[in-house]
C-alpha cells in the first residue's frame, strides 16, 4: 500500500522526476519524460505495479529526512536495533549524466552493521507490462515494448516471483552505490557508470542554481524550496513547467476526482512568471514565456488551457482499469479531457504574461506582440460567451466571474503596454472594451444579497477564484466589495479556516459526485488579500499555518484534508509552491508598508 502523500519526497533531473518514500521505496517514476508511461506505479496500486525499495530488514524505529542543502539530493536516515543506515537518492542532471535518465541510490552505514534488502519490481506501461529480464555481463536488463531499464548493483541479485532482490549488510562507513538507467529498448545498453558514484556534481548544480535567488525576505527557506520544486517541474528542453509529477492522486480519498497533472497549464503562466522574475530567475522566465508563445501559437479560437511539456495539443484522456488507484481512489486517468475545454481566462494569462515579459525587458514588438494582437482581436467579441471556468468544471458553460475578469485583464494589459511602452495597437477601441467588461462584472458578478462576488453571473454560489481580483488589479483589496467578499468566503467557503475552491454539493454545477479538500493556492490568495487590506497579523498567522502543512522536506500537494490532517491531490504541486513564493513577497511587502505607513498594493499587479 502506498504511503500518505506527505510521506514522499521528490528527486528529478529537469526532464522527469520520481517520488521517494520515507520507507526507502521509489513508488513513482516515468521515463524519459514527466508524461511518459510509468515504470514504477506503486503509488497508484501496490508493489506489483512497480517500485524500487531499499530498506533495512529489521523494523525501523525512527526516520529522518532532508535535502542536502539547496538541492534535490534527498537523504533518508533509518534507525533500527542493529544500527543506522543512510539512503541518498538523486537523479543526475543532464550535465552530470549521458543521454538517458538515471536514478542513483547510495546506501551508507552510519552506525552498527545493518541488514538490508533490495526489492526491484519493474512493470512498464503504468504497471501493465511485465518485462523480460536478463543478465548482460553482470548488468540486470529489463525490456518491454519501447522501454528498457538497466541496473548496476554492487551486491549480487536474484529473482523471486517477478521481483529482483538482493540481501546484504552495510557496515559503519561502508558505501554501496546502485544505478538504474532508462534507455529505449532498441538501443544498446548505456555504458557502465565510470568512476566513483557520488552526488557531488548534482548537488553543486542545484546549489549553483539556487545561488542566483535574489529573495532575501522572511521565509527564505520556504521560498527557496518552492523555487527548487518549480525548477524540478521544468521540462528543460522546452522551458515548460508541468503542474505536478503525478497523475490521479485523489482530491478525496476513495473519490473520482483523480486527474492527470503532468502537463503545462496556461492558467499558471502569469503567477509562475512573476515568481521567477521577482526572485532572479530571468532565464527560466524567458524559457517559460517562449514556451507559452509556441504552445499557444495559431488560431486564437483554438488556444487550449493546457499542453504537453513540449507543447503537445492532444492529451487524450484514458482510464487504466488495472490500477486500483491511490488507496482505492479510482479511476486512474492518464491524459486530460479538460484540454478540450473553452476557458476565457487563458487569454488574460497570455496578455498578462506579455505585460510581465515587456516589463522585465525580455520581449519587444516582435512575434509575442503579434500573437497578443491576434488574441485581442478574437477576445474583443469572444469575451461575451460563457465558458467552463478556471477550475475545469465538467458541467454546463456559464458566465464565470473570474473568466470575465481575466478578459478584462487581457484588455487592460495590452492598453498599458501601448501606453507605457509605446507598442502599437488600437488602444482607444480596446480601452472601451476594457471599460465595458469592467462595468458588466461589477453589475453582474457582484451579488448584493450574498455580499460577495459570486461564481458566475446571477449565481449565489461562492468561488475562491474571485480572491484574485486585487492580485490582477481589477479592484483594490480595500474596496468595500472585496472586504465583504473576503468576509463571506471566510465565513462560508472555508473549512477550519482554509479555503475551498467552490461548493461541491451540487453535481449539476460541478458535474461530479463527492467533494474535495481545501485548495492550498486559494488559501494563499486569502493571505494576500488579508495582507493588502492591512490585516497583516491575521495574514501572517494564516501563512505560517499553511507553511506548517508542508511535509518534512518542505513539499505541498494541491489540497489538504483538515479533518484527517493529510495532503490530497497531485504532488508536488507547482500552483501551491508558486503561491508560497508570491505570498511571501506580498506579505513581507505589506508588513513593511504597514510599518512605514505606506499604501498597500499587490506587488504583481500593474
Amino acid at each position: 500500500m502506498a504511503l500518505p502523500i506527505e510521506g514522499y519526497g521528490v528527486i528529478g533531473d529537469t526532464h522527469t522526476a520520481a517520488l521517494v518514500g520515507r520507507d526507502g521505496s521509489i513508488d513513482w517514476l516515468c521515463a524519459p519524460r514527466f508524461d511518459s508511461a510509468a515504470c514504477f506505479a506503486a503509488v497508484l496500486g501496490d508493489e506489483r505495479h512497480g517500485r524500487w525499495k531499499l530498506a533495512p530488514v529489521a523494523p525501523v524505529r525512527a526516520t529522518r529526512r532532508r535535502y542536502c542543502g539547496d538541492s534535490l539530493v534527498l537523504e533518508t536516515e533509518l534507525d533500527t536495533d542493529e544500527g543506522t543506515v543512510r539512503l541518498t537518492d538523486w537523479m543526475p542532471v543532464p550535465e552530470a549524466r549521458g543521454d538517458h535518465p538515471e536514478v542513483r541510490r547510495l546506501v551508507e552505514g552510519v552506525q552498527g552493521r545493518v541488514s538490508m534488502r533490495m526489492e526491484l519490481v519493474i512493470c512498464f506501461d503504468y504497471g501493465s507490462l511485465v518485462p523480460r529480464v536478463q543478465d548482460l555481463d553482470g548488468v540486470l536488463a529489463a525490456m518491454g515494448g519501447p522501454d528498457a531499464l538497466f541496473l548496476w548493483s554492487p551486491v549480487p541479485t536474484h529473482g523471486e516471483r517477478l521481483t529482483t532482490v538482493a540481501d546484504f549488510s552495510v557496515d559503519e562507513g561502508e558505501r554501496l552505490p546502485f544505478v538504474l538507467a532508462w534507455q529505449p529498448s532498441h538501443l544498446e545498453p548505456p555504458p557502465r557508470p565510470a568512476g566513483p558514484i557520488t552526488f557531488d556534481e548534482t548537488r553543486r548544480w542545484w546549489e549553483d542554481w539556487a545561488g542566483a535567488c535574489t529573495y532575501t525576505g522572511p521565509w527564505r527557506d520556504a521560498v527557496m524550496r518552492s523555487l527548487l520544486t518549480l525548477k524540478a517541474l521544468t521540462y528543460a528542453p522546452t522551458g515548460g513547467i508541468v503542474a505536478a509529477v503525478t497523475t490521479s492522486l485523489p482530491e478525496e480519498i476513495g473519490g473520482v476526482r483523480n486527474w492527470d497533472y503532468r502537463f503545462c497549464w496556461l492558467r499558471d503562466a502569469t503567477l509562475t512568471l512573476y515568481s521567477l522574475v521577482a526572485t532572479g530567475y530571468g532565464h527560466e522566465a524567458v524559457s517559460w514565456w517562449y514556451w507559452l508563445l509556441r504552445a499557444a501559437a495559431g488560431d486564437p479560437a483554438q488556444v487550449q488551457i493546457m499542453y504537453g511539456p513540449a507543447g503537445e495539443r492532444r492529451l487524450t484522456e484514458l482510464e487504466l482499469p488495472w490500477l486500483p488507484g491511490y488507496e482505492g481512489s479510482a479511476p486512474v486517468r492518464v491524459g486530460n479531457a479538460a484540454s478540450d475545454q473553452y476557458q476565457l481566462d487563458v487569454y488574460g494569462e497570455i496578455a498578462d504574461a506579455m505585460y510581465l515579459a515587456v516589463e522585465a525587458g525580455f520581449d519587444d514588438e516582435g512575434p509575442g506582440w503579434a500573437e497578443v494582437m491576434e488574441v485581442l482581436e478574437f477576445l474583443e467579441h469572444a469575451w461575451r460567451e460563457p465558458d467552463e471556468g478556471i477550475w475545469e468544471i465538467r458541467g454546463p458553460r456559464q458566465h464565470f466571474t473570474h473568466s470575465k475578469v481575466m478578459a478584462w485583464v487581457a484588455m487592460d494589459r495590452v492598453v498599458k503596454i501601448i501606453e507605457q511602452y509605446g507598442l502599437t495597437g488600437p488602444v482607444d477601441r480596446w480601452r472601451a472594451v476594457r471599460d465595458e467588461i469592467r462595468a458588466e462584472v461589477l453589475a453582474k458578478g457582484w451579488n448584493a444579497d450574498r455580499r460577495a462576488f459570486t461564481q458566475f453571473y446571477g449565481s449565489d454560489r461562492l468561488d475562491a477564484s474571485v480572491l484574485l481580483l486585487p492580485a490582477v488589479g481589477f479592484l483594490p483589496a480595500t474596496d468595500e466589495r472585496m472586504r465583504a467578499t473576503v468576509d463571506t468566503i471566510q465565513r462560508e467557503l472555508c473549512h477550519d479556516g482554509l479555503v475551498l475552491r467552490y461548493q461541491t454539493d451540487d453535481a449539476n454545477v460541478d458535474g461530479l459526485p463527492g467533494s474535495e479538500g481545501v485548495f492550498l493556492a486559494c488559501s494563499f490568495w486569502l493571505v494576500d488579500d488579508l495582507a493588502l487590506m492591512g490585516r497583516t497579523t491575521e495574514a501572517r498567522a494564516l501563512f505560517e499555518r499553511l507553511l506548517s502543512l508542508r511535509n518534512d522536506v518542505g513539499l505541498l500537494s494541491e489540497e489538504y484534508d483538515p479533518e484527517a490532517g493529510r495532503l490530497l491531490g497531485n504532488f508536488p504541486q507547482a500552483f501551491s509552491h508558486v503561491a508560497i513564493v508570491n505570498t511571501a513577497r506580498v506579505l513581507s511587502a505589506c508588513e513593511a508598508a504597514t510599518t512605514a505607513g505606506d499604501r498597500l498594493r499587490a506587488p504583481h499587479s500593474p
Side-chain angles (χ1 to χ4, degrees):
M1 183 176 175
L3 298 173
I5 292 169
E6 56 269 21
Y8 290 99
V10 66
I11 57 175
D13 63 1
T14 71
H15 283 63
T16 188
L19 295 188
V20 184
R22 60 187 294 113
D23 60 350
S25 182
I26 297 179
D27 286 351
W28 181 256
L29 173 65
C30 301
R33 301 192 344 169
F34 293 104
D35 57 340
S36 299
C39 52
F40 298 151
V43 73
L44 298 177
D46 56 38
E47 63 272 12
R48 295 170 300 168
H49 301 108
R51 71 167 184 179
W52 185 15
K53 187 172 185 177
L54 277 166
V57 174
V60 174
R61 293 188 287 103
T63 303
R64 295 172 297 281
R65 295 192 299 177
R66 70 181 185 99
Y67 282 107
C68 295
D70 290 334
S71 81
L72 242 70
V73 178
L74 182 63
E75 282 187 356
T76 306
E77 285 193 353
L78 303 164
D79 295 338
T80 73
D81 289 338
E82 294 181 331
T84 299
V85 65
R86 179 185 302 123
L87 305 177
T88 305
D89 294 291
W90 74 100
M91 296 183 71
V93 292
E95 291 83 348
R97 63 164 169 84
D99 295 331
H100 52 274
E102 295 179 358
V103 175
R104 296 190 172 191
R105 316 193 73 181
L106 184 64
V107 181
E108 297 180 84
V110 177
Q111 184 269 321
R113 178 180 176 85
V114 180
S115 300
M116 299 287 294
R117 182 172 175 87
M118 184 199 80
E119 296 180 353
L120 173 63
V121 181
I122 298 170
C123 208
F124 294 120
D125 194 25
Y126 302 103
S128 69
L129 176 58
V130 176
R132 175 170 56 88
V133 178
Q134 58 184 319
D135 185 283
L136 297 179
D137 297 325
V139 178
L140 181 82
M143 301 184 184
D147 301 297
L149 284 173
F150 301 87
L151 173 70
W152 288 270
S153 169
V155 296
T157 65
H158 63 278
E160 290 182 3
R161 299 184 298 279
L162 301 179
T163 303
T164 299
V165 303
D167 295 292
F168 60 98
S169 296
V170 58
D171 292 309
E172 184 174 332
E174 188 177 7
R175 297 159 61 97
L176 299 173
F178 296 76
V179 177
L180 188 71
W182 178 92
Q183 182 92 312
S185 60
H186 65 280
L187 299 181
E188 291 296 316
R192 184 182 297 272
I197 295 176
T198 73
F199 53 81
D200 295 342
E201 187 174 3
T202 295
R203 177 174 178 171
R204 279 197 302 271
W205 188 93
W206 284 104
E207 291 188 333
D208 286 347
W209 184 87
C213 180
T214 58
Y215 178 78
T216 58
W219 310 290
R220 189 182 187 282
D221 289 345
V223 168
M224 191 70 254
R225 180 51 53 192
S226 293
L227 289 169
L228 287 161
T229 303
L230 290 178
K231 182 64 172 176
L233 294 171
T234 301
Y235 184 58
T238 66
I241 301 175
V242 299
V245 169
T246 56
T247 179
S248 298
L249 292 185
E251 298 170 10
E252 177 188 31
I253 299 300
V256 300
R257 300 165 188 267
N258 316 317
W259 314 112
D260 194 344
Y261 274 22
R262 298 170 299 156
F263 308 120
C264 308
W265 265 256
L266 300 197
R267 175 192 67 193
D268 303 358
T270 308
L271 295 175
T272 303
L273 247 171
Y274 174 75
S275 69
L276 294 171
V277 169
T279 52
Y281 291 102
H283 173 75
E284 284 73 17
V286 170
S287 297
W288 176 230
W289 166 238
Y290 283 111
W291 175 90
L292 177 65
L293 287 182
R294 292 191 303 271
D299 184 351
Q302 295 179 328
V303 170
Q304 296 183 182
I305 68 169
M306 71 182 84
Y307 298 86
E312 296 87 353
R313 300 179 65 90
R314 298 191 186 279
L315 310 179
T316 305
E317 185 175 300
L318 303 171
E319 295 184 3
L320 307 183
W322 60 86
L323 282 172
Y326 179 84
E327 294 191 18
S329 304
V332 170
R333 298 180 176 94
V334 296
N336 200 312
S339 59
D340 295 329
Q341 286 190 352
Y342 174 57
Q343 292 185 15
L344 275 173
D345 64 288
V346 298
Y347 301 104
E349 301 292 358
I350 293 171
D352 207 4
M354 179 74 197
Y355 181 82
L356 283 171
V358 173
E359 190 176 47
F362 54 79
D363 205 296
D364 54 18
E365 194 162 354
W369 183 243
E371 181 161 325
V372 171
M373 290 298 93
E374 293 178 0
V375 165
L376 266 286
E377 294 284 351
F378 169 76
L379 192 59
E380 188 173 355
H381 304 286
W383 75 269
R384 301 178 187 280
E385 301 298 321
D387 74 332
E388 270 109 352
I390 182 177
W391 304 128
E392 292 127 40
I393 290 175
R394 301 194 179 193
R397 291 183 178 180
Q398 304 284 355
H399 291 281
F400 286 99
T401 301
H402 173 265
S403 298
K404 304 301 186 186
V405 168
M406 292 308 295
W408 173 89
V409 166
M411 297 294 169
D412 178 73
R413 300 308 188 260
V414 170
V415 168
K416 284 182 167 60
I417 290 170
I418 294 170
E419 292 175 340
Q420 297 173 11
Y421 297 98
L423 276 68
T424 57
V427 65
D428 291 337
R429 197 172 87 217
W430 289 335
R431 191 183 291 116
V433 176
R434 178 188 66 177
D435 295 345
E436 183 182 1
I437 298 172
R438 177 182 172 83
E440 182 179 287
V441 170
L442 294 177
K444 297 182 178 180
W446 168 255
N447 186 317
D449 293 335
R450 296 288 279 126
R451 299 284 297 158
F453 288 99
T454 53
Q455 187 174 59
F456 52 86
Y457 290 175
S459 170
D460 62 357
R461 302 180 63 84
L462 301 177
D463 190 307
S465 62
V466 301
L467 292 172
L468 285 171
L469 269 59
V472 300
F474 185 82
L475 278 178
T478 52
D479 184 278
E480 285 305 314
R481 288 161 295 190
M482 280 308 306
R483 290 184 185 276
T485 297
V486 166
D487 289 344
T488 302
I489 285 176
Q490 284 187 295
R491 186 173 60 251
E492 300 184 34
L493 198 62
C494 283
H495 185 178
D496 193 25
L498 304 176
V499 185
L500 297 161
R501 288 191 296 178
Y502 53 89
Q503 295 156 315
T504 58
D505 57 333
D506 184 352
N508 290 324
V509 171
D510 184 74
L512 291 168
S515 61
E516 62 181 33
V518 297
F519 199 82
L520 293 171
C522 297
S523 300
F524 287 108
W525 301 343
L526 176 59
V527 175
D528 296 344
D529 286 356
L530 292 172
L532 291 166
M533 290 174 184
R535 295 160 62 179
T536 52
T537 300
E538 186 180 353
R540 174 181 272 263
L542 179 54
F543 187 52
E544 296 282 4
R545 182 185 176 197
L546 287 165
L547 291 181
S548 75
L549 304 183
R550 297 173 301 153
N551 72 359
D552 56 324
V553 289
L555 302 179
L556 280 179
S557 63
E558 181 183 37
E559 299 183 2
Y560 180 75
D561 182 346
E563 292 184 0
R566 59 182 298 183
L567 296 176
L568 294 172
N570 285 302
F571 177 86
Q573 176 79 4
F575 217 32
S576 299
H577 286 281
V578 166
I580 287 176
V581 176
N582 291 339
T583 297
R585 287 181 52 79
V586 170
L587 182 54
S588 59
C590 288
E591 288 184 332
T594 300
T595 300
D598 294 337
R599 175 176 173 267
L600 302 180
R601 173 178 167 272
H604 55 293
S605 65

Tab-separated table of all heavy atoms in Angstrom, residues 557-588:
chain	number	residue	atom	x	y	z
A	557	SER	N	1.199	19.337	-1.791
A	557	SER	CA	0.381	18.862	-2.907
A	557	SER	C	-0.630	19.956	-3.260
A	557	SER	O	-0.478	21.114	-2.885
A	557	SER	CB	-0.328	17.553	-2.544
A	557	SER	OG	-1.217	17.760	-1.462
A	558	GLU	N	-1.681	19.566	-3.959
A	558	GLU	CA	-2.690	20.526	-4.406
A	558	GLU	C	-3.651	20.919	-3.294
A	558	GLU	O	-4.029	22.088	-3.167
A	558	GLU	CB	-3.467	19.924	-5.571
A	558	GLU	CG	-4.527	20.840	-6.148
A	558	GLU	CD	-5.324	20.161	-7.254
A	558	GLU	OE1	-5.586	18.943	-7.141
A	558	GLU	OE2	-5.681	20.858	-8.209
A	559	GLU	N	-4.048	19.944	-2.477
A	559	GLU	CA	-5.107	20.172	-1.496
A	559	GLU	C	-4.721	19.570	-0.146
A	559	GLU	O	-3.685	18.912	-0.009
A	559	GLU	CB	-6.427	19.564	-2.004
A	559	GLU	CG	-6.907	20.177	-3.318
A	559	GLU	CD	-8.252	19.629	-3.779
A	559	GLU	OE1	-8.837	18.796	-3.056
A	559	GLU	OE2	-8.714	20.031	-4.856
A	560	TYR	N	-5.603	19.787	0.837
A	560	TYR	CA	-5.354	19.319	2.197
A	560	TYR	C	-6.684	18.965	2.837
A	560	TYR	O	-7.702	19.636	2.608
A	560	TYR	CB	-4.661	20.422	3.007
A	560	TYR	CG	-4.352	20.066	4.433
A	560	TYR	CD1	-3.295	19.211	4.744
A	560	TYR	CD2	-5.112	20.582	5.479
A	560	TYR	CE1	-3.009	18.890	6.064
A	560	TYR	CE2	-4.839	20.272	6.802
A	560	TYR	CZ	-3.782	19.421	7.085
A	560	TYR	OH	-3.501	19.097	8.389
A	561	ASP	N	-6.678	17.905	3.619
A	561	ASP	CA	-7.864	17.479	4.362
A	561	ASP	C	-7.693	17.883	5.822
A	561	ASP	O	-6.926	17.245	6.560
A	561	ASP	CB	-8.038	15.961	4.248
A	561	ASP	CG	-9.284	15.447	4.958
A	561	ASP	OD1	-9.878	16.200	5.760
A	561	ASP	OD2	-9.659	14.283	4.723
A	562	PRO	N	-8.367	18.950	6.284
A	562	PRO	CA	-8.169	19.405	7.669
A	562	PRO	C	-8.610	18.385	8.706
A	562	PRO	O	-8.044	18.339	9.805
A	562	PRO	CB	-9.027	20.677	7.753
A	562	PRO	CG	-9.223	21.124	6.347
A	562	PRO	CD	-9.265	19.853	5.541
A	563	GLU	N	-9.621	17.585	8.393
A	563	GLU	CA	-10.114	16.618	9.378
A	563	GLU	C	-9.124	15.475	9.565
A	563	GLU	O	-8.827	15.063	10.687
A	563	GLU	CB	-11.477	16.082	8.950
A	563	GLU	CG	-12.579	17.141	9.002
A	563	GLU	CD	-13.939	16.559	8.667
A	563	GLU	OE1	-14.018	15.348	8.404
A	563	GLU	OE2	-14.914	17.321	8.672
A	564	ALA	N	-8.609	14.936	8.440
A	564	ALA	CA	-7.656	13.825	8.530
A	564	ALA	C	-6.232	14.319	8.754
A	564	ALA	O	-5.353	13.534	9.111
A	564	ALA	CB	-7.728	12.978	7.258
A	565	GLY	N	-5.986	15.616	8.537
A	565	GLY	CA	-4.650	16.159	8.714
A	565	GLY	C	-3.663	15.602	7.717
A	565	GLY	O	-2.530	15.253	8.085
A	566	ARG	N	-4.053	15.534	6.428
A	566	ARG	CA	-3.168	14.945	5.430
A	566	ARG	C	-3.321	15.675	4.093
A	566	ARG	O	-4.356	16.282	3.806
A	566	ARG	CB	-3.477	13.457	5.244
A	566	ARG	CG	-4.898	13.168	4.803
A	566	ARG	CD	-5.156	11.670	4.672
A	566	ARG	NE	-4.298	11.062	3.667
A	566	ARG	CZ	-4.345	9.764	3.308
A	566	ARG	NH1	-5.208	8.967	3.891
A	566	ARG	NH2	-3.544	9.297	2.407
A	567	LEU	N	-2.286	15.579	3.273
A	567	LEU	CA	-2.308	16.177	1.954
A	567	LEU	C	-3.152	15.362	0.998
A	567	LEU	O	-3.283	14.136	1.146
A	567	LEU	CB	-0.877	16.292	1.407
A	567	LEU	CG	0.076	17.203	2.177
A	567	LEU	CD1	1.475	17.137	1.566
A	567	LEU	CD2	-0.424	18.639	2.195
A	568	LEU	N	-3.717	16.055	0.006
A	568	LEU	CA	-4.517	15.422	-1.033
A	568	LEU	C	-4.099	15.981	-2.394
A	568	LEU	O	-3.593	17.097	-2.491
A	568	LEU	CB	-6.010	15.702	-0.824
A	568	LEU	CG	-6.695	15.122	0.402
A	568	LEU	CD1	-8.118	15.678	0.516
A	568	LEU	CD2	-6.739	13.592	0.338
A	569	GLY	N	-4.370	15.221	-3.435
A	569	GLY	CA	-4.147	15.708	-4.787
A	569	GLY	C	-2.734	15.480	-5.273
A	569	GLY	O	-1.856	14.997	-4.548
A	570	ASN	N	-2.515	15.842	-6.535
A	570	ASN	CA	-1.235	15.561	-7.162
A	570	ASN	C	-0.096	16.307	-6.496
A	570	ASN	O	-0.283	17.375	-5.895
A	570	ASN	CB	-1.326	15.866	-8.656
A	570	ASN	CG	-2.102	14.791	-9.398
A	570	ASN	OD1	-1.749	13.615	-9.380
A	570	ASN	ND2	-3.187	15.183	-10.048
A	571	PHE	N	1.118	15.749	-6.641
A	571	PHE	CA	2.227	16.090	-5.748
A	571	PHE	C	3.563	15.958	-6.473
A	571	PHE	O	3.725	15.028	-7.259
A	571	PHE	CB	2.174	15.122	-4.560
A	571	PHE	CG	3.277	15.270	-3.559
A	571	PHE	CD1	3.165	16.188	-2.526
A	571	PHE	CD2	4.423	14.484	-3.629
A	571	PHE	CE1	4.178	16.314	-1.580
A	571	PHE	CE2	5.437	14.609	-2.692
A	571	PHE	CZ	5.312	15.528	-1.661
A	572	PRO	N	4.523	16.839	-6.145
A	572	PRO	CA	4.308	18.157	-5.548
A	572	PRO	C	3.662	19.080	-6.568
A	572	PRO	O	3.863	18.924	-7.769
A	572	PRO	CB	5.727	18.620	-5.200
A	572	PRO	CG	6.607	17.887	-6.157
A	572	PRO	CD	5.942	16.584	-6.447
A	573	GLN	N	2.902	20.033	-6.101
A	573	GLN	CA	2.043	20.844	-6.956
A	573	GLN	C	2.665	22.208	-7.219
A	573	GLN	O	2.940	22.980	-6.296
A	573	GLN	CB	0.678	21.023	-6.278
A	573	GLN	CG	-0.289	21.918	-7.015
A	573	GLN	CD	-0.957	21.216	-8.181
A	573	GLN	OE1	-0.737	20.040	-8.388
A	573	GLN	NE2	-1.760	21.937	-8.937
A	574	ALA	N	2.894	22.515	-8.499
A	574	ALA	CA	3.507	23.800	-8.865
A	574	ALA	C	2.688	24.979	-8.362
A	574	ALA	O	3.248	25.954	-7.832
A	574	ALA	CB	3.686	23.876	-10.383
A	575	PHE	N	1.369	24.917	-8.516
A	575	PHE	CA	0.500	26.037	-8.146
A	575	PHE	C	0.650	26.381	-6.667
A	575	PHE	O	0.667	27.548	-6.286
A	575	PHE	CB	-0.943	25.682	-8.482
A	575	PHE	CG	-1.767	26.832	-8.985
A	575	PHE	CD1	-1.222	27.861	-9.727
A	575	PHE	CD2	-3.133	26.870	-8.738
A	575	PHE	CE1	-2.001	28.919	-10.206
A	575	PHE	CE2	-3.920	27.913	-9.216
A	575	PHE	CZ	-3.352	28.942	-9.940
A	576	SER	N	0.757	25.362	-5.824
A	576	SER	CA	0.923	25.595	-4.387
A	576	SER	C	2.264	26.254	-4.096
A	576	SER	O	2.364	27.158	-3.253
A	576	SER	CB	0.800	24.275	-3.621
A	576	SER	OG	-0.477	23.690	-3.801
A	577	HIS	N	3.312	25.810	-4.772
A	577	HIS	CA	4.644	26.352	-4.496
A	577	HIS	C	4.829	27.733	-5.105
A	577	HIS	O	5.536	28.572	-4.537
A	577	HIS	CB	5.707	25.358	-4.949
A	577	HIS	CG	5.815	24.180	-4.024
A	577	HIS	ND1	6.487	24.256	-2.824
A	577	HIS	CD2	5.300	22.931	-4.084
A	577	HIS	CE1	6.388	23.091	-2.197
A	577	HIS	NE2	5.666	22.268	-2.947
A	578	VAL	N	4.211	28.001	-6.258
A	578	VAL	CA	4.196	29.363	-6.781
A	578	VAL	C	3.534	30.290	-5.774
A	578	VAL	O	3.999	31.417	-5.524
A	578	VAL	CB	3.459	29.414	-8.136
A	578	VAL	CG1	3.124	30.848	-8.527
A	578	VAL	CG2	4.298	28.763	-9.230
A	579	ALA	N	2.438	29.820	-5.176
A	579	ALA	CA	1.712	30.643	-4.199
A	579	ALA	C	2.575	30.940	-2.978
A	579	ALA	O	2.512	32.058	-2.427
A	579	ALA	CB	0.418	29.943	-3.786
A	580	ILE	N	3.385	30.002	-2.530
A	580	ILE	CA	4.273	30.264	-1.399
A	580	ILE	C	5.219	31.418	-1.731
A	580	ILE	O	5.397	32.357	-0.947
A	580	ILE	CB	5.079	29.000	-1.032
A	580	ILE	CG1	4.173	27.967	-0.350
A	580	ILE	CG2	6.247	29.355	-0.107
A	580	ILE	CD1	4.870	26.660	-0.039
A	581	VAL	N	5.835	31.347	-2.924
A	581	VAL	CA	6.793	32.383	-3.326
A	581	VAL	C	6.115	33.743	-3.389
A	581	VAL	O	6.598	34.740	-2.814
A	581	VAL	CB	7.430	32.037	-4.682
A	581	VAL	CG1	8.349	33.168	-5.153
A	581	VAL	CG2	8.210	30.723	-4.598
A	582	ASN	N	4.982	33.806	-4.079
A	582	ASN	CA	4.324	35.091	-4.278
A	582	ASN	C	3.731	35.651	-2.991
A	582	ASN	O	3.789	36.856	-2.727
A	582	ASN	CB	3.255	34.968	-5.358
A	582	ASN	CG	3.869	34.757	-6.734
A	582	ASN	OD1	5.029	35.071	-6.957
A	582	ASN	ND2	3.086	34.226	-7.655
A	583	THR	N	3.160	34.782	-2.168
A	583	THR	CA	2.571	35.258	-0.911
A	583	THR	C	3.643	35.726	0.058
A	583	THR	O	3.442	36.705	0.791
A	583	THR	CB	1.689	34.162	-0.286
A	583	THR	OG1	0.601	33.876	-1.159
A	583	THR	CG2	1.143	34.595	1.057
A	584	ALA	N	4.779	35.054	0.094
A	584	ALA	CA	5.876	35.522	0.939
A	584	ALA	C	6.274	36.939	0.546
A	584	ALA	O	6.530	37.801	1.411
A	584	ALA	CB	7.074	34.582	0.826
A	585	ARG	N	6.295	37.227	-0.748
A	585	ARG	CA	6.649	38.567	-1.212
A	585	ARG	C	5.543	39.583	-0.874
A	585	ARG	O	5.829	40.691	-0.426
A	585	ARG	CB	6.909	38.542	-2.721
A	585	ARG	CG	8.225	37.876	-3.101
A	585	ARG	CD	8.444	37.902	-4.609
A	585	ARG	NE	8.302	39.239	-5.147
A	585	ARG	CZ	9.231	40.199	-5.100
A	585	ARG	NH1	10.391	39.937	-4.523
A	585	ARG	NH2	9.012	41.383	-5.623
A	586	VAL	N	4.298	39.196	-1.127
A	586	VAL	CA	3.186	40.108	-0.830
A	586	VAL	C	3.152	40.433	0.655
A	586	VAL	O	3.064	41.606	1.057
A	586	VAL	CB	1.843	39.485	-1.277
A	586	VAL	CG1	0.667	40.305	-0.748
A	586	VAL	CG2	1.775	39.395	-2.793
A	587	LEU	N	3.217	39.404	1.484
A	587	LEU	CA	3.077	39.620	2.927
A	587	LEU	C	4.249	40.418	3.488
A	587	LEU	O	4.050	41.331	4.301
A	587	LEU	CB	2.948	38.273	3.639
A	587	LEU	CG	2.752	38.316	5.156
A	587	LEU	CD1	1.577	39.197	5.540
A	587	LEU	CD2	2.563	36.891	5.695
A	588	SER	N	5.467	40.093	3.060
A	588	SER	CA	6.612	40.844	3.583
A	588	SER	C	6.543	42.306	3.143
A	588	SER	O	6.863	43.211	3.919
A	588	SER	CB	7.924	40.196	3.138
A	588	SER	OG	8.028	40.129	1.731
